[in-house]
Amino acid sequence: MSETTLRKEENIVYSRPRLLTDAHMHYCPGCSHATIHKIVADVLGEMGLGDNVIGVSPVGCSVFIYNYIDIDWVEAAHGRAPAVATGISRMNPDKLVFTYQGDGELAAIGTTEVIHACNRGENITIIFINNAVYGMTGGQMAPTTPLGMKTVTCPDGRTIELDGYPLPITEMLCEASGTCYVSRQCVTSYAAVKRAKKAVRKAFENTLAKKGTSVIEFMGTCCSGWKMTPHDANAWLNERMKSMKMGTLKEIE
């Protein structure tokens, strides 16, 4: 690394994003939600959208997200965030509207809502946190739990014979006619956070440009549900992601 680069790095000042409140977060140590909240708040602040954005969050670990990001929020019934966001977006076409959802909700009770919203091409962004378990209720198997993974409801690991295949919901949303941008990201490293931030900004820009539905899937950790330390959870997730396509899965200009 050159001396000039070192000097530039020394001059970087890191601070809390303007829209991120100083409320103490309730998440378990090592949970990905906190980092993703910071990314979302950072992007919204940089885009100057604090007064022109509405977030929709249903039931789940992030149900209290309205305490942490200082924008207008609407709470939706479990699985109904895309439908609520559709109504808000159509009544407020000049607003940026996005949902913030977990896999135990979006990929289960909310599957119909998200598929049809994406197929219609609603001008919303869907931020989808996939930690492969029902984290809020104790770590039960979710639709996205991978084969072989142990949960409290499949203690010997998920099997095809008993539990069926994991639902590839993000790949399914790539096939929806109305999605203009689908991306899979994570926050297990500094470099990954930088890539994720760019993806979130791209999604928000698409929504403001009324290009259709943008979907960002975050591969997240759930240390409590996985019964792992934060270090081991990140390592396990990084290993799992080696067999998955990361980054942009679909983009229509």
Side-chain angles (χ1 to χ4, degrees), residues 114-122 175-179 213:
V114 72
I115 287 176
H116 286 286
C118 287
N119 202 53
R120 292 193 304 269
E122 300 293 342
E175 299 300 317
S177 300
T179 52
T213 309

Side-chain angles (χ1 to χ4, degrees), residues 36 39-40 127-131 183-187 196-197 200 216-220:
I36 299 168
I39 290 171
V40 173
I127 297 176
F128 166 40
I129 317 303
N130 182 4
N131 57 26
S183 180
R184 178 178 285 129
Q185 301 291 332
C186 68
V187 292
K197 186 176 175 182
V200 171
I216 307 291
E217 177 189 17
F218 277 97
M219 302 300 295

Side-chain angles (χ1 to χ4, degrees), residues 159-217:
T159 64
I160 297 171
E161 296 77 15
L162 184 63
D163 310 302
Y165 292 95
L167 184 68
I169 184 67
T170 302
E171 283 76 8
M172 291 169 64
L173 297 181
C174 284
E175 299 300 317
S177 300
T179 52
C180 64
Y181 181 63
V182 182
S183 180
R184 178 178 285 129
Q185 301 291 332
C186 68
V187 292
T188 56
S189 68
Y190 173 67
V193 168
K194 288 182 67 176
R195 290 191 294 268
K197 186 176 175 182
K198 289 180 181 178
V200 171
R201 187 180 184 108
K202 177 71 173 179
F204 286 165
E205 288 173 345
N206 287 342
T207 298
L208 290 173
K210 304 187 187 310
K211 291 184 177 181
T213 309
S214 292
V215 180
I216 307 291
E217 177 189 17

Side-chain angles (χ1 to χ4, degrees), residues 72-94:
D72 290 328
W73 286 97
V74 175
E75 290 294 316
H78 205 219
R80 305 300 181 248
V84 173
T86 293
I88 294 171
S89 176
R90 292 190 180 198
M91 292 300 294
N92 300 272
D94 296 329

Side-chain angles (χ1 to χ4, degrees), residues 49-66:
L49 294 172
D51 296 327
N52 198 43
V53 59
I54 301 172
V56 182
S57 180
V59 179
C61 286
S62 60
V63 69
F64 298 120
I65 191 172
Y66 53 77

